[in-house]
Each structure stands twice: as structure tokens, then as C-alpha cells.
Amino acid sequence: MSACALRVFLQRAAVTRKAAHQTFSQTRAFPQCVTGSYTHSRGINTLTNSLRAEEKVTVHFLNRDGKRISVKALTGESLLDIVVNNDLDIDGFGACEGTLACSTCHLIFEEAVYKKLGRISDEEMDMLDLAYGLTDTSRLGCQVCLRKDLDGMILHVPDVISDARVDSEKESSTAPPKV
Amino acid sequence: MKIHGLSSASRCLAAEGGVRGLSSSSGPRVCIVGGGPAGFYTAQQLLKDAAVDIYERLPVPFGLVRFGVAPDHPEVKNVINTFTQTAQHERCSFHGNVNVGKDVTIDELRQAYHAVVLSYGAEGNRSMGIPGEDLPGVFSAKDFVGWYNGLPSNKELHPDLSFETAVILGQGNVALDVARILLAPVEMLKETDITQNALEALAGSKVRRVLIVGRRGPLQIACTIKELREMVNLPNTRADMLPADFEGIAEALKDLPRPRKRLTELMMKAVKEGGDDKAEKCWGLRFFRSPVEVLAGADEKRAAGIRLALNKLEGSGESVRAEVTGQLEDVDCGLIISSIGYKSIPIDPAVPFDPRRAIVPNEMGRVQDTAGLYCSGWVKRGPTGVIATTMNDSFDTARVLIQDMEAGKLDLSVNKPGAQAITALLQTRGVRMVLFSQWEKINAEEEKRGKSLGKAREKLLDVDEMLCRAK
């Protein structure tokens, strides 16, 4: 197992341990992926993927610096998993590790692809509302799982408010709001 | 985060035989003051090109992630995993229990490092500035949150929870966190990392009604929808709103951007539906009201109520402001929590400070008139924003610092001793540093104690006890 995959596994396990302590946060909707929700067994599935029937699909990330990163990934993986497992160079992606507690895995989809995606939950929409540069075809990567019919899709990684010349007093109402 | 291949600066570092312990090694050395999210995220970016030392006043790291995020939001604390990776990076070292400004000065740090980044956040709070504010029964949200989250300096807070009504001034996410913690069923909290004494106090609490008061109207509310939804969904509570506060709001909905529209719709739903009449507890938002006086009880010894001035709104769009009408309203209550903002304080006379904005004056993270000194996080921008806001801001400061290194604005030709010199200085002053591996012992102890109580962790509340466990 690569060091990177090990890190993911351990992080997922940590998320699970922490999730077990959440009693009333059942509003946290984990994506309905083919391989199931984030549990220890899912971690094991990731390790033994050669034994399963998931299919390989290609996705393209259009990064903030304009560079395109193409990766092959398995159906059932979330887009956050793909970024983490492939160690993609996207600063600050997935800060909350896929638990719907941030909006840093915000991705913008092509319109035709967006329409094919699964239903968006209130909980995802609540966090997506805080994302900078929100569009009508935005989703959180941790909630979207790869399917065969999404092969070849292009995912646009949006800019974050990272231009320090922006005066914080002029932030728009769609910018991440107060604490 | 991604740790990139070596830049030319760090190849120089590697060629010289690494960073640790070799006084002859060169390569950029940066010091970060503050071990919270700003400090760690700044370090993450800097590690690509420099050796980084983080100094933190408490023996324990993570700042508001540990002491600010609500106990029932454990997923928000997942960032601790990435901070832990950063601290364990071979070019990074964490030094806890070091009070910069007292144990060591900024000038001493600037002599030992090529650059210093101030990431020490906002440990003070804005005061309401009204008579009676110092009466028993009035707390800042910062202290109340610190109390249930185990901040050592708040362990003796002992808030009296024997009153039926609590009033919170301010309607940001911190205010909603406080309201939720006050009204949540104990079952919801008993497996979290809330401190045991707060849990017991809340279990015996008589607080049944919490009002969350804002100066302006529903369209200006500062909280976000997730926190509002948690209030609406709180078991055994109902919403108690004033329909009059919502006049004209339904008509304004269609022109609102989606995030504000959904938030407002959720509030309107709470106004309309209210909730289960049989619910024992209630919460309500109150708009157009500013606190003008805390009223003492008949014995004059503690708070028994709050006097609110009624406002009207002038202006429009982003610049809507509250203006007084002259009308007043008194609310009986025994617990008053002021949640109107944290505030940074100056750390060292050598560092410029803007008392009006309560930040370190800076241009894009470069401290004004002070070469080699930078800032990130709340001390740079003011105390607003979620962790991701601070993350992006910290990445910005790090990039600016690296740009300055590459542009020759920092003299990297001079060798700097870094932690070696500071550690020696601290030893002569009798300061006991806590390294990250020692924090991990404290961490293990907290998890162990938590396990025996069925909780995620039981935090150590006492700095001396932390130091003892760190041995």
C-alpha cells in the first residue's frame, strides 16, 4: 500500500471513529457510492480493488493554474477520494475529509454532466452555499461518486478567495460569511 | 496538503546536511507565532521552501480548532489530522508552553530566524460598552465557549445556569453554537469532548428559553444555514419568533442570491411552523434590538435583565445600518452572553498594532514598516471567517513570504540559528517547552480518560497537569 493510500486509510478510519461519537449529527449525509459509506470495510475495499468489478474511468481536473490533470479512477470513488488517492496538487482540498463540514472540495461541472449527477441533499447545499465563486453547476466533490457515464468529464477547480489584495471589508454576500 | 519537490532553497538546505541540530547548516528558517489553524496552514505552505518552527503559548496545539469549535461538531476538527502531519514533517518543529512577548521577545525571534510570521489570533473580545456589563451573570461568548471547551483560563467560570431565560447578543455562528449547547439534550453531548464539568452543569441547567438578539434585521443575520438548521432540528425545542420582525421579508426573497435566500426561507419556515407546542424548551431570534444596559436584580448583586433599544434600518444592500428609534424593551433573564466578536491584542511593543481595527497593520501579510515580519489569520484580517477562510489567507501570506525570499528581500545569505538559539534562551529563563511528541502524550492521556467516561476525550484543564503529563 502506498504511503499516500495508507494515509487515506488512516484518515478514513479516524473519521469513522469520530463519526461514531456523533450522536445527533445524522444530518451528515455520506455519498451513496457503489462501495458504500465511509467505513473500515470501505477502506479495505479500496485496498483490494483488484478483486472487485469496479471499472476504470478517466476524469480531467482543470486546476487553478490552468493546468489539466488527467487521472484514471474507479467507479464508486468520490471525487475527493480521487484527489487524495492520486495526491493531486490542489491546495487545501478536502479540509474536513469528506464530512460536509467545509466547502473546500468545491468543483464546477460542465452543464450536461451536472444534470446527470445524483440528487443534492440539503446538507450538501448548506455547505456549498458557503463556497467562493458558487455557480449553477457547482457541487462538493466529496458528495459526488464516479460512474461509468461520467467518463471523460472535465472538473473545473474554482479559485478561492486567495487574492490578498481583496479588501476583506468589500467581500460579497456570497463569500464565506462570519464565524 | 501537498508537499512538493525541493525548491532551490531547500536543495541548499539538504546539501548542507539538513536542518536539525547542525549549527553550520544554512537554508531559510522561519518562525511562526501561534499554533492554531493560521499557524499550521502557514507552516504547511512554507515547509516547501524553509524549515519552520511554531511557538504556541499553551502546552497544547490547535488553537480554536480545539477551544472554539463546538463539541458536537467533531468533523470540523478533522483538520487536526493535517496539522499533525505538518507538525511531524522533518523540517517542522512545534514548541508549546512558550509565551512570545513574555518568555521571548519578537526581536529575539527576528534575530534567530530569517522571517517571523505572527499567527496568534484574537484572544480578547469586543465589549458591549454598556452599564452593568461587569455584573455576575454576564459572560463573553469567548469565555463561555472556552469554558465548555476546556480552555484552561476559563475553567473557573462557573456560569450560573439556574435561570429560565438566557439572552445572547449577536447572531453569528458562535452565538448559535452557544444557544445550541445551552438547549441541546444532554444525550447529544455526553459522548463528545465537552468538558465533564460543563456537561454536569448543563445536565442540571434550568435554562429553558434562549433569545438570540441582533441589531439589524433577518436579511442581515450573520450566522450560516447549517447552524440555523441545527437549531430548527433541535429535539424537544420549539422556535419562538416575532412575526413582526419579518414584515416585508417574504417579498424580498425572490431577489436574494441563493445562499441568503435559503437561509431566509429557513427562518420564515421557523416563524410559520414554530414547532412542537409540547416542547419544554424554546429559542428565538430577536431583531432590530441593541443592548443598552444590563439591569441588576433587587439585591443589586447580579444581572436580572437586559434593556434593549429598538432600531430601525436605514440604507440598503450591504450598507444597511441600524438607527435608534428611542423605544426600549426590558427582558428578564439571568444569563447574558455577549457574542459580538473576538478581538486581537498587541503582543509586543516592537510590533505595530492598529487599535481601531485591532489587527497588526499589514499589506498582503507583510507587517507595515517591518521587514521580515509577516502575519496570517485573524490577527491579519480581523476575527471573522471559517477555518477555510483562514486556510486560504495563510496560504497567501506564505506565498508572499516565499516571493520575498526569492526576490532577495530577506537576506538568506546570513545563517540563522533558529530553534537552537531560542531553546537555549528559554532554558536560561526556566521555560519548559513542550514538543509535539510530548503533546502526543497529553493527547493519549485525554483520549484514555475520555474512553473511561464514554467520551471522545476528556481534556486536561490545567496547564501544570499538561506539563506533568508531557514529561
Side-chain angles (χ1 to χ4, degrees), chain A residues 7 10-11 14-15 18 84 90-97 104, chain B residues 1-3 36-37 39-45 47 54 62 65 75-89 92 387 391 395 436:
Chain A
R7 186 180 77 230
L10 291 174
Q11 283 176 357
V15 167
K18 283 172 181 154
V84 172
I90 306 176
D91 273 342
F93 201 84
C96 77
E97 299 176 6
T104 61
Chain B
M1 57 124 336
K2 178 144 178 63
I3 300 179
F40 274 97
Y41 278 126
T42 308
Q44 258 183 23
Q45 284 291 312
L47 281 169
I54 301 174
F62 310 137
V65 174
E75 60 284 336
V76 177
K77 304 189 201 196
N78 283 345
V79 292
I80 286 177
N81 297 331
T82 188
F83 296 165
T84 297
Q85 276 191 302
T86 297
Q88 291 168 340
H89 189 286
C92 184
I387 295 178
M391 176 181 79
F395 288 172
F436 201 77

Side-chain angles (χ1 to χ4, degrees), chain B residues 112-134:
Chain B
Y113 291 91
H114 293 103
V116 174
V117 185
L118 303 173
S119 309
Y120 65 83
E123 69 188 73
N125 64 275
R126 287 182 65 203
S127 82
M128 291 189 281
I130 61 177
E133 188 164 10
D134 296 324

Side-chain angles (χ1 to χ4, degrees), chain B residues 8-41:
Chain B
S8 60
S10 19
R11 274 197 289 275
C12 175
L13 247 171
E16 291 291 318
V19 176
R20 299 250 170 280
L22 298 174
S23 55
S24 63
S25 64
S26 63
R29 293 185 191 274
V30 181
C31 150
I32 297 182
V33 178
F40 274 97
Y41 278 126

Side-chain angles (χ1 to χ4, degrees), chain B residues 339-418:
Chain B
S339 183
I340 59 174
Y342 287 62
K343 197 162 90 166
S344 295
I345 60 174
I347 193 173
D348 187 300
V351 177
F353 192 79
D354 177 344
R356 188 185 65 84
R357 291 182 66 194
I359 58 166
V360 170
N362 68 94
E363 284 271 335
M364 292 167 44
R366 296 182 179 100
V367 175
Q368 213 171 65
D369 303 328
T370 323
L373 194 59
Y374 299 79
C375 53
S376 68
W378 281 7
V379 79
K380 167 187 171 192
R381 295 173 66 250
T384 61
V386 296
I387 295 178
T389 323
T390 290
M391 176 181 79
N392 290 320
D393 174 80
S394 301
F395 288 172
D396 278 352
T397 291
R399 276 186 212 112
V400 157
L401 201 165
I402 290 171
Q403 265 173 40
D404 286 357
M405 285 197 314
E406 288 169 354
K409 290 192 187 150
L410 300 171
D411 187 2
L412 299 179
S413 65
V414 178
N415 274 1
K416 292 283 189 176

Side-chain angles (χ1 to χ4, degrees), chain A residues 109-119 136-139 147 149-150:
Chain A
F109 293 75
E110 303 159 283
E111 191 166 346
V113 174
Y114 177 80
K115 291 186 170 137
K116 292 199 277 188
L117 299 177
R119 200 188 75 81
D136 291 335
T137 58
S138 288
R139 290 290 300 264
R147 299 186 321 238
D149 66 336
L150 301 176

Side-chain angles (χ1 to χ4, degrees), chain B residues 284-305:
Chain B
L285 302 169
R286 292 289 180 271
F287 295 98
F288 312 107
R289 286 156 170 84
S290 297
V292 293
E293 189 179 343
V294 175
L295 306 169
D299 60 1
E300 303 283 322
K301 290 216 180 91
R302 71 173 331 281

